[in-house]
Amino acid sequence: MKKLAFVAALSAALAGPVHAFGLDNLLSAGSDLVKSATLSDGEVQAMAAESSKVMDKQNKVAPAGSAYAKRLSKIVQGLNSEDGLKLNFKVYQNPEVNAFAMADGTVRVYSGLLDKMTDDEVRYVIGHEIGHVKLGHTKKAIQVAYASSAARKAAAGSGNAVAASLSESELGDFAEQVLHAQFSQSQESDSDSYSVDFLKRHSYSLQAAPSALRKLAALYGNERSLMSSHPAPGDRADKVEKLISK
């Protein structure tokens, strides 16, 4: 899948007449596509940090003294780092039932999630999102998004006004691509397992894992949860219940 993504991005960069692109732009795009496969953890974290700044500007962040911010602060009290990852938390005032974590330790929880979930259920979701980071799923998403942005950079060099405009907002678009990354069923299952261990390590309620997933199934059906990248919450709840009963 990763190789196909790189090929697709390169094809996009080379679409149209060859003379529409400068050699430097094509070489730069090819170099970036290759580099995307070997991004270091430090580079991934730096890109995540810049992306999170853009996301914070694009979203309404709940003020520190607000009810939402105070509640999240209570939920994550003492959770300054996890598995070597230094964490920072904020609430986005957005009705979506959503949350995400990034490779630099950014964790953002949407007010819609806080409205629907108990404190322990929010902790399960946070653990699940951190799991995507610690298990390397987010890094792979960044690699794919980086490859795609490289293709757009080459297109911008053609003088195409639309492509140039995309290039100027590349970082914001890059952040959106990472946020809406499609994770596989196995990745979701692995992140669920990570979150169960996360709940155990911090002596949080283990029952919060299946209850959060069943709540998402009730909200969205058994085909999606949080976003389309989180499939079949009811089925995942069954697996998690078996896991915590061991």
Side-chain angles (χ1 to χ4, degrees):
M1 288 295 292
K2 185 189 299 181
K3 186 179 294 183
L4 288 175
F6 292 158
V7 171
L10 184 57
S11 296
L14 296 176
V18 174
H19 66 265
F21 302 91
L23 179 60
D24 289 343
N25 289 317
L26 290 175
L27 291 175
S28 176
S31 174
D32 285 347
L33 286 165
V34 172
K35 181 177 172 57
S36 67
T38 57
L39 288 170
S40 70
D41 289 343
E43 289 170 323
V44 167
Q45 289 170 4
M47 293 169 77
E50 291 303 312
S51 297
S52 67
K53 290 177 185 176
V54 172
M55 293 295 294
D56 285 352
K57 288 180 181 178
Q58 292 177 345
N59 289 274
K60 185 177 181 181
V61 177
S66 69
Y68 281 124
K70 286 181 178 179
R71 184 180 166 206
L72 181 60
S73 179
K74 174 176 171 274
I75 289 171
V76 301
Q77 185 175 3
L79 193 61
N80 301 314
S81 64
E82 179 62 24
D83 203 7
L85 183 68
K86 187 176 180 180
L87 305 173
N88 69 90
F89 298 90
K90 289 182 182 178
V91 176
Y92 284 170
Q93 293 186 196
N94 186 312
E96 286 185 37
V97 181
N98 205 352
F100 67 88
M102 301 190 77
D104 66 323
T106 289
V107 179
R108 299 294 180 259
V109 177
Y110 288 50
S111 59
L113 182 72
L114 293 171
D115 289 338
K116 298 294 184 182
M117 299 281 183
T118 66
D119 289 0
D120 282 324
E121 289 168 347
V122 172
R123 291 180 180 119
Y124 154 75
V125 173
I126 288 173
H128 178 93
E129 297 305 321
I130 292 174
H132 280 309
V133 173
K134 295 303 297 182
L135 296 173
H137 307 160
T138 302
K139 180 177 180 178
K140 291 179 181 177
I142 285 178
Q143 289 173 331
V144 172
Y146 187 86
S148 178
S149 69
R152 283 203 309 277
K153 184 169 72 175
S158 70
N160 184 295
V162 175
S165 133
L166 286 172
S167 181
E168 289 173 4
S169 60
E170 186 175 50
L171 191 57
D173 192 58
F174 173 84
E176 286 292 330
Q177 286 187 60
V178 175
L179 177 59
H180 293 94
Q182 300 294 304
F183 296 121
S184 69
Q185 284 280 3
S186 64
Q187 288 175 325
E188 293 296 345
S189 180
D190 288 345
S191 288
D192 283 339
S193 297
Y194 183 96
S195 190
V196 169
D197 290 338
F198 166 85
L199 295 175
K200 288 179 180 177
R201 281 196 298 273
H202 296 282
S203 300
Y204 297 145
S205 169
L206 296 183
Q207 290 302 322
S211 66
L213 288 166
R214 295 200 187 286
K215 190 171 287 186
L216 290 168
L219 286 169
Y220 300 115
N222 199 35
E223 297 302 321
R224 54 170 293 191
S225 74
L226 300 185
M227 297 179 296
S228 60
S229 59
H230 297 247
D235 296 343
R236 288 166 53 203
D238 292 340
K239 292 180 181 178
V240 165
E241 283 185 328
K242 291 179 182 178
L243 186 63
I244 64 178
S245 65
K246 289 182 179 180

